[in-house]
Structures are given as C-alpha cells and as structure tokens.
Amino acid sequence: PTTWQESTSDLSSWLSSSSDASQSNKATTAKIEKACADILSSSTNNNDELPEAVRRSTTTIYLRALIKLGKYGAVVDYCRQREDGNNVEEEAYSLYRLRNYEACRQLCAANGGGNGRGLMHIYAQALYRLGETNEADAIYRQLLAGDENPAMMDADEREDALSNALANRTANYTPGSL
C-alpha cells in the first residue's frame, strides 16, 4: 500500500506538470484526482495520521479535479458525507452545475449568503436562474463594490460579474428595475 507521503509526492509531480502541453489536460486531472483519493483513503485505511492542513488542501484539490472532470454528483456526495463545511464553494458550484439551483441557493444562504467572492458569485447565479432578480442584483452590487480596490477583483472576474449582472437584469426584466 502506498503511504499518503508517497502519494503526495506523485501529486506534486502531476500538479507541476499539469501545464505541460504534451500531456492531456484531462489525463493529468484524472491522475491528480486519483492521487488525492489515494492520499485521503490511505490515511484512514492505514491509521497513518494525515495532518489536518494536508487533508484540507488535498480535499480541495480532489474536489476541484472532480469538478474539472465534470463529476459534480461525486463532489456533492463527498461534501455531504463529510459535512465539515470546509468545501462549501465546491459543493455549491457542483449543485449549480447539476442545475439544482434551489439546493445551491439554500446552501449559499446557510453559509452567510456567500462570504467569499466565489461563493457570492455562485449564489447570485443561482438566484438569477431562479428568477430572483432583485436578490441577485444586490449580490452583484456587493461584488462590484470592490471595484474601487483593484486588488479585490481582477479584470476577468469583473467582466464576468458585469456580464452576469446584465444578463440577470435582461433575462428577468421587470418594469422599473432598470
């Protein structure tokens, strides 16, 4: 059996080579997913204590690899099994991608309506999909309020937020909202 330390070494290698054009991005992501799964399972199977910081980082990398592979249901299942609240953003995004907008909205609302920018954006998108224009607008205004501080939002994130805010207003137009 492989120890979590050996699997961490493999993971590090694949992460550093993930930008290598000679390897398939999907194949590399699948290797990353497997290495993370090995790390997370080896520590529980071998009573080999995995430091909490390593467990959290590995779990986040694992869930993001699953997301890149389109395995949204697996992300939701994993997060619900653990129920530790550490990967709410990944769970919310996966619920959104599964088009379970109501569950996504409820998860985001239960976590303060999105304390982080990523979770706020997912929350606003779920509200948009549910036709809750005014609520989505309020979150987009919060997201865009950081515009005065360029460190808060890069150009791509700003463009996404503006595009989505406009789509929300256009698709869910109600008289007097513009």
Side-chain angles (χ1 to χ4, degrees):
T2 306
T3 66
W4 69 264
Q5 292 93 340
E6 292 166 334
S7 294
T8 303
S9 176
D10 291 342
L11 177 61
S12 177
S13 169
W14 289 318
L15 286 172
S16 65
S17 71
S18 66
S19 62
D20 183 1
S22 67
Q23 288 192 359
S24 164
N25 218 3
K26 191 171 186 173
T28 301
T29 303
K31 288 179 185 178
I32 291 169
E33 173 201 358
K34 183 179 179 341
C36 289
D38 288 347
I39 291 166
L40 295 168
S41 68
S42 72
S43 67
T44 53
N45 294 338
N46 299 332
N47 289 331
D48 187 13
E49 189 60 34
L50 184 64
E52 186 58 29
V54 174
R55 178 180 309 285
R56 281 186 180 189
S57 295
T58 304
T59 298
T60 299
I61 294 167
Y62 174 64
L63 294 174
R64 289 181 182 186
L66 289 173
I67 288 169
K68 277 189 169 189
L69 294 169
K71 297 180 179 181
Y72 308 115
V75 173
V76 172
D77 292 343
Y78 187 88
C79 291
R80 290 190 174 163
Q81 276 181 327
R82 293 188 45 102
E83 294 183 359
D84 60 7
N86 287 327
N87 295 95
V88 173
E89 188 173 322
E90 289 81 6
E91 183 179 0
Y93 180 78
S94 295
L95 287 167
Y96 175 82
R97 291 301 305 256
L98 289 168
R99 298 180 181 194
N100 192 341
Y101 305 125
E102 181 58 33
C104 178
R105 179 176 66 85
Q106 289 175 9
L107 178 64
C108 292
N111 286 277
N115 295 326
R117 299 186 72 70
L119 192 57
M120 286 175 69
H121 199 107
I122 295 165
Y123 189 31
Q125 282 298 104
L127 292 170
Y128 155 67
R129 294 293 185 170
L130 291 167
E132 297 179 21
T133 307
N134 293 333
E135 294 84 353
D137 273 348
I139 293 173
Y140 284 123
R141 276 193 296 279
Q142 279 183 285
L143 279 168
L144 294 167
D147 280 355
E148 298 85 39
N149 181 356
M152 292 291 290
M153 184 183 301
D154 66 20
D156 289 338
E157 184 183 1
R158 177 175 164 61
E159 184 178 320
D160 285 347
L162 285 170
S163 297
N164 290 332
L166 181 59
N168 174 58
R169 284 290 186 96
T170 304
N172 299 320
Y173 177 72
T174 53
S177 68
L178 290 176

